[in-house]
Amino acid sequence: MPGVELVRIRKVDSMLVDQLGEIGWGSNSGFQAINLALQFGAGRILLCGFDCSLEKGTHWHGRHPSPLNNPRQASVDRWRGILDAQAPLFRELGIEVINCSPHSRLAAYPRRPLLEALADVPRIP
């Protein structure tokens, strides 16, 4: 949104909803993107690529070259716990969150194949 400054609040591992542009840290950009979708009024969020595991590799694009860091299992497990812990807030706010990631370890969200979830999206006339 024009005129909105984005501020990540470090060490806050929960979705922030009170101040537009002020988002939780969650230790990863996927968490922060979900927080923005929440603030911009999403009523339904489809999680794509939220494997929360290193079983299939570190990133869809391969490992980051040095000197960039790549995730370790302990970090990925922490991210999973933080995101799963947000499920009660989404339910309280009436926001549907669907996990469309086929190999995901997230446990707090219902799972559906992406194409099935997309086919179920209401069309705006």
Side-chain angles (χ1 to χ4, degrees), residues 2-111:
V4 175
E5 180 181 341
L6 178 61
V7 178
R8 292 172 296 175
I9 308 299
R10 285 186 180 267
K11 306 301 179 194
V12 173
D13 290 332
S14 59
M15 298 286 161
L16 300 179
V17 296
D18 295 331
Q19 180 65 40
L20 183 63
E22 189 174 285
I23 59 173
W25 182 247
S27 298
N28 68 84
S29 60
F31 179 95
Q32 295 159 13
I34 295 167
N35 201 158
L36 284 174
L38 174 83
Q39 288 188 9
F40 290 151
R44 186 174 202 229
I45 298 172
L46 305 181
L47 302 177
C48 303
F50 282 81
D51 294 359
C52 294
S53 166
L54 297 178
E55 292 169 11
K56 303 280 183 181
T58 56
H59 305 286
W60 64 270
H61 53 73
R63 295 179 60 79
H64 289 306
S66 184
L68 299 174
N69 294 323
N70 288 287
R72 296 187 179 121
Q73 190 62 52
S75 297
V76 174
D77 291 342
R78 182 174 181 278
W79 301 341
R80 182 180 66 244
I82 291 169
L83 189 51
D84 270 343
Q86 307 312 300
L89 173 66
F90 290 122
R91 283 192 295 274
E92 178 184 319
L93 296 173
I95 297 168
E96 182 182 24
V97 178
I98 301 171
N99 185 356
C100 299
S101 305
H103 303 290
S104 178
R105 284 195 176 172
L106 286 171
Y109 306 98
R111 297 178 72 146

